[in-house]
Amino acid sequence: MEADYNQLVNELRCLVCQNQNLAGSDADLARDLRRETYEMLNEGKSQQQVIEFMVERYGDFVLYRPQFKSTTYLLWLGPFL
């Protein structure tokens, strides 16, 4: 479970800092999301279930590597524009 937790908090973006992952952010929201991630894993949820919950609640921007689809093309192409 610890490995899953560490992987998730390193792959999920802090929505306040925007350029940091949850592991590296000291923002209050990041602390809350780290706690939420830990609790969900402790309840037996998989990494994929945690990711789906975060995306459903906060949108694709919470992922450092969102899937390329019609709703995320700006996240992928924005830096080049």
Side-chain angles (χ1 to χ4, degrees):
M1 186 180 107
E2 184 178 346
D4 288 344
Y5 172 80
N6 288 328
Q7 185 176 3
L8 283 168
V9 297
N10 281 299
E11 290 182 9
L12 295 172
R13 182 189 314 265
C14 174
L15 299 168
V16 174
C17 303
Q18 296 182 2
N19 63 344
Q20 286 185 305
N21 58 24
L22 294 181
S25 175
D26 288 329
D28 290 336
L29 179 60
R31 277 187 233 124
D32 291 343
L33 293 178
R34 286 192 301 263
R35 187 187 75 250
E36 182 85 30
T37 299
Y38 176 81
E39 289 173 359
M40 291 176 75
L41 290 172
N42 202 34
E43 292 170 358
K45 299 202 189 259
S46 68
Q47 282 189 4
Q48 187 59 37
Q49 288 173 312
V50 173
I51 289 170
E52 288 171 4
F53 170 80
M54 294 293 184
V55 169
E56 183 178 307
R57 190 164 189 189
Y58 299 105
D60 288 309
F61 189 72
V62 76
L63 302 173
Y64 261 119
R65 286 175 255 133
Q67 295 179 354
F68 191 82
K69 54 187 178 183
S70 63
T71 58
T72 62
Y73 73 93
L74 278 176
L75 293 174
W76 282 102
L77 301 177
F80 300 108
L81 299 175

